[in-house]
Each structure stands twice: as C-alpha cells, then as structure tokens.
Amino acid sequence: MFYLVKYYRHFICLISLLLLFYGALTIWSKRSFLSGFSLFRVRGKGLISLTVVLIFLSNCFMLSSAMDYSCRADISLNYVRASQGLNPNGTRYNQAAIMSDTVLHRAIEKGALKGISTDDLRETLTITPYVQRGGSEESGYFISTQFILSYHATKKTAHLDGSTLLTLAAESYKEWFVDEYADNINTLRMDFTGFEQKDYLDICRFLRKQVDLIKHYMNEMASKEGAFQSKEYGETFQSVASKASLIADTMVEKLEAYVLENGISKEKATYLGRLNIENVFLHFDALKAEAANKNNLAAISMYENDLARIVLVPTYDVNEQFYMSQTRIGIDDFAAQADDYANEKTEIRSEIATNNHVLDMLSASQTSDGIDGKAERLVEQIENELTRVALEAETLVKEYSTQQANNYMTITVSEPENRLGSLLSGSLSLTLLFAAGIYLCAFAVSMDKTAGKEKEQE
C-alpha cells in the first residue's frame, strides 16, 4: 500500500500518457478518415464519465494520503550573527545538527514513537538552504539564514503522520538549540559539599563568595536587559542582586559577629596557627609592594618635571581645531604603577589588621573548641536563604534565556489545511490528463469501429 500511494501520481500519469499515445497514434493512422468524423461521435460516453469521476475520487483519496508522506517546514534564524553564518555564541553554524542523534532521539522521545530509530528518522529528513547561491566569484557568495526541512516517508515511517513527525523533529531541534546556546546557569547552582567541615570564619568567607557570585551574575544580566521582569516571580536582575547583598550584609554579618564576639572555633589552635602563618606571608607581600612603590617613585624623580611638561605635539581635535597635545611618556607608566603598588600595600595591611583582630578575639576567648549549636543554626538559615535566592536567580535567567532564544529561530510547518488548494489542483490536473487520454482513446476506438462498418457495407 505504501508504494501504491507513494507512486500513485506516476502510475496515473503513465496510464494517461499511454492512452493519449494510443489514441493519437490511432487517429494519425486514420487521418484520411478523420475529416469526415466528428469529435463528438464517441461511444460509451456514460461509462467514460463514470470512469473519470471514479478517477477523480481516487485521486483525491490517494493524493490526500500521499500528503502525509511528504511535507516541509521553513526554519528562519533571527539573531544578528546568523547573517555571518555563526551561532549566537560566535561559533560556526551548521544546519546539519538537526540530523544529530541527540536531536532525533529527543524527537522520538517527545512523540513516544515506537519502533522508530534515529537512523530511520534521519533517512526521512533533508535540510537545504532556502536560497542556494555559490560559485568561484566572491560576488556569488551567500550565507543563508533560512532553511527548508523536508520530510519524505519511508516504509518504516509510513504509518505515522508526516506533519506531526516533522513538527516533532523541528521543535526538538529548536529546544536543543535553545539549551545549547542559552546562558550557562551552572554557576548559580549552590554546592555545599564539604561545607560543614570548614571552620566558622572560613564558612563566612565562603558564603560571601557565593553571594558575590550571584550578584556578579545578576549584574551581568542586568547589563544585557535591565528592564526584564520575571512573569513567575515578578523579580528583576537588580532585585535578585539586592536580595543576595542583603544576605551578606545581615545574615552572614550576624554569623561573623557572633563567632568573633564569642571566640568560637572548631579547632582554635589550628586556626590561630594558620592565621599567624598567613600574616607572615602577607607581611612579605606588603614589603614587596612598598619596595616596588618606592622604586617607581625614584624613577619618576629622575626625570626633570619641567621637561615632562613641555613635551607637546601639534594635534587636531574632532572639530578639526588645532591644539597642542601632551604626549604619553614613560613617566606616566611609572606613576600608574606606583599608585597600584600603594593601593596593594594598603589592602594587604588592612588584611593583616583584620587577621590580628581575629587572633585577639579568639585568643581572649575562653570558649572550648567544637561545634556551636547557635552558629550551626545560623549557617543552616543562611544556606537555605542562599539556595532560595540562587534558585530565583536561576529561574529568572532561564526565563530570560528562553524568551531570547525563542526569538533566535522561527519554525513554520506546512499544515494539511493549508494544502487543500494543492490537493484539489493536483487531483483535477491528473483527472483532466486521464480524461483527455481515455476520451482520445475512446474516440480512436469509435473511428476504428465506424471505419470497419463502412468497409463491410461496401
């Protein structure tokens, strides 16, 4: 049945052409008799009309069935880099990805298709550029942003609806494309593995880093689309960043203050020893920064300030106005480096001072080492709140990415109702071709019979 439906159009065309050929050949051989024979003198007109009607109905049924065996979808890429032949992330775009096992397997699972493998589905699909141009000349180069995904049924897929199957494949490709090129949200997934083994002040530092991670991610997203608001939570990127800041400024600050005020540590001696060693290395780093700062200042003092100020170059500004521009000379680099080293030294000294404060607080405390119940509860609260805010951030980014990525690609699948005109025109054209063939054949037969009777009468 599959091959009958698939090649039905060719079969009808072949039969019609054979009838036409037979009729035309017969009439040509009887051309001397044609002048006295009317085109309307055809026997069995009722049977011919009935046959034509049956063929028309057969055409409608068979061509309608064949439409499920062949259909197409138009795929358009709508993002800026598509015209350069690139993916949204700048890598080379390859439309053949729709034929990958990942996409086709997703389509099979999406439609719960039984007895169909990825190879079976791949055999039915073809993707081609909507406009194909090329050649050796550069003027002939063309990067297509529109593609045609075609489906042609095989015996293994003939029992499936072609339009549905093509829709599954196209939508699976779009979903894969969105997943592949949407924003990476893995960094927003909180991982507290081994978290409980850290000392309390180390836990505070870790929690602040997690807060900074969320804030940085949200600020980056806000720079892309500051006005975006979640339909699910009603949050914006700025509001989620503010929530993360609030965790650090209140909850983590409260935990840190409680730990320092009470001198709490899981292993106080180990922690104090580590801070002392850290201070030693920080002290050497501060000395290095101070020495580098002095070296740069000494290099600056070797230049004559007057000479540095008079190095000017004739220049035109954006308004084509002439002025004398001061050049950028080596002394500028020395000044910038001296400033950087001075700031570095200040930061290191501040870190040493913080460590000394912690050393004083822990050393003065009479609290025994070990797990502190209140600190554990505070840590758990912060962990839960941080997880909640990170989940909001992840949901917000997903929503934004889906919205943006959905605009990356437009897919239009030809639906059967849109092809009704094609079905009727195809059925009529085949019917007219067959009608012309059978009528011409019947006309030729009538000529033969009439010629035979006339010869008998003679």
Side-chain angles (χ1 to χ4, degrees):
M1 183 63 180
F2 166 72
Y3 294 107
L4 176 62
V5 173
K6 184 175 181 178
Y7 297 109
Y8 175 79
R9 184 188 295 268
H10 302 82
F11 176 74
I12 291 296
C13 287
L14 178 62
I15 294 297
S16 301
L17 291 175
L18 288 174
L19 292 174
L20 283 170
F21 178 75
Y22 172 77
L25 186 62
T26 302
I27 292 171
W28 176 260
S29 64
K30 305 290 184 181
R31 60 185 181 279
S32 60
F33 185 72
L34 181 62
S35 59
F37 198 84
S38 172
L39 287 172
F40 297 100
R41 292 172 58 185
V42 177
R43 298 180 180 182
K45 291 182 179 179
L47 181 61
I48 293 174
S49 299
L50 178 61
T51 303
V52 169
V53 170
L54 291 175
I55 288 295
F56 175 73
L57 295 176
S58 176
N59 289 341
C60 291
F61 174 76
M62 298 298 280
L63 293 183
S64 177
S65 300
M67 279 189 169
D68 288 336
Y69 289 173
S70 179
C71 53
R72 57 175 273 180
D74 296 327
I75 300 176
S76 299
L77 306 179
N78 305 320
Y79 53 92
V80 177
R81 288 181 170 178
S83 60
Q84 303 171 2
L86 301 176
N87 292 312
N89 63 353
T91 57
R92 180 64 59 186
Y93 176 78
N94 183 8
Q95 71 270 16
I98 196 171
M99 303 296 183
S100 66
D101 288 342
T102 303
V103 174
L104 298 182
H105 184 69
R106 184 192 290 241
I108 292 171
E109 287 188 338
K110 193 179 181 72
L113 305 177
K114 296 181 179 179
I116 301 296
S117 67
T118 55
D119 290 335
D120 296 335
L121 189 54
R122 187 182 294 110
E123 189 178 350
T124 66
L125 299 175
T126 305
I127 186 164
T128 55
Y130 193 84
V131 177
Q132 299 191 54
R133 288 171 55 186
S136 57
E137 297 296 330
E138 186 175 349
S139 58
Y141 295 168
F142 179 78
I143 297 177
S144 180
T145 59
Q146 293 180 297
F147 302 89
I148 298 173
L149 180 63
S150 304
Y151 167 78
H152 300 285
T154 62
K155 191 173 182 180
K156 292 183 178 180
T157 62
H159 63 287
L160 301 172
D161 181 81
S163 179
T164 301
L165 194 61
L166 188 62
T167 301
L168 288 171
E171 290 299 325
S172 296
Y173 176 56
K174 185 175 182 179
E175 290 174 4
W176 172 84
F177 194 85
V178 169
D179 293 342
E180 189 73 12
Y181 300 110
D183 294 286
N184 185 7
I185 58 173
N186 290 331
T187 54
L188 291 174
R189 291 170 182 166
M190 298 291 101
D191 183 10
F192 298 105
T193 304
F195 183 69
E196 299 80 4
Q197 299 176 3
K198 296 180 179 292
D199 212 329
Y200 290 115
L201 289 176
D202 291 333
I203 288 176
C204 291
R205 290 183 182 180
F206 176 80
L207 293 173
R208 287 187 185 277
K209 287 182 180 180
Q210 297 302 103
V211 168
D212 290 340
L213 185 149
I214 297 174
K215 286 170 56 180
H216 177 73
Y217 200 114
M218 292 297 98
N219 290 332
E220 285 291 323
M221 296 302 297
S223 66
K224 295 181 181 179
E225 186 61 61
F228 180 77
Q229 185 175 20
S230 171
K231 294 180 180 178
E232 183 175 351
Y233 292 102
E235 300 286 353
T236 63
F237 295 122
Q238 294 92 336
S239 66
V240 174
S242 298
K243 285 185 176 182
S245 296
L246 194 61
I247 294 175
D249 296 340
T250 57
M251 301 183 74
V252 178
E253 189 72 28
K254 181 179 179 181
L255 172 62
E256 195 171 36
Y258 173 75
V259 170
L260 287 175
E261 183 179 349
N262 294 276
I264 297 171
S265 175
K266 294 179 180 179
E267 294 182 7
K268 189 177 297 184
T270 302
Y271 193 77
L272 291 175
R274 196 182 75 190
L275 285 181
N276 282 316
I277 294 175
E278 185 177 334
N279 276 349
V280 171
F281 285 103
L282 287 173
H283 176 69
F284 284 120
D285 290 339
L287 291 177
K288 287 169 59 179
E290 183 178 6
N293 173 260
K294 289 179 178 179
N295 288 338
N296 281 278
L297 292 176
I300 293 172
S301 66
M302 295 174 64
Y303 287 89
E304 288 291 340
N305 292 334
D306 291 338
L307 179 63
R309 285 196 296 268
I310 64 172
V311 180
L312 302 175
V313 177
T315 310
Y316 286 94
D317 63 13
V318 292
N319 297 319
E320 299 299 325
Q321 296 296 316
F322 178 80
Y323 75 104
M324 300 299 289
S325 171
Q326 184 173 346
T327 61
R328 185 176 184 277
I329 57 179
I331 195 171
D332 301 323
D333 294 329
F334 288 134
Q337 290 176 13
D339 187 58
D340 290 341
Y341 283 122
N343 292 333
E344 182 182 348
K345 180 183 69 173
T346 302
E347 291 175 1
I348 294 173
R349 294 296 185 192
S350 176
E351 192 172 349
I352 291 174
T354 300
N355 286 347
N356 287 333
H357 174 66
V358 173
L359 286 167
D360 293 340
M361 297 296 290
L362 292 181
S363 298
S365 172
Q366 301 299 318
T367 306
S368 58
D369 297 357
I371 302 298
D372 183 85
K374 183 177 180 180
E376 290 294 323
R377 288 192 297 271
L378 290 173
V379 169
E380 185 178 359
Q381 291 173 8
I382 297 171
E383 182 180 340
N384 293 337
E385 186 65 14
L386 198 57
T387 302
R388 186 186 66 81
V389 174
L391 183 59
E392 284 189 11
E394 182 179 336
T395 304
L396 185 61
V397 173
K398 279 183 178 179
E399 192 173 332
Y400 172 77
S401 296
T402 301
Q403 176 180 298
Q404 292 299 109
N406 281 336
N407 296 329
Y408 287 162
M409 186 181 298
T410 303
I411 297 175
T412 305
V413 179
S414 299
E415 297 295 337
E417 55 267 22
N418 297 332
R419 293 178 287 169
L420 181 60
S422 176
L423 171 63
L424 291 176
S425 63
S427 299
L428 284 173
S429 60
L430 286 178
T431 303
L432 289 175
L433 180 63
F434 179 81
I438 195 171
Y439 188 85
L440 193 63
C441 186
F443 177 74
V445 171
S446 297
M447 285 181 60
D448 273 342
K449 289 184 178 180
T450 302
K453 287 182 178 181
E454 289 182 357
K455 286 182 178 181
E456 291 177 358
Q457 291 175 358
E458 291 177 358

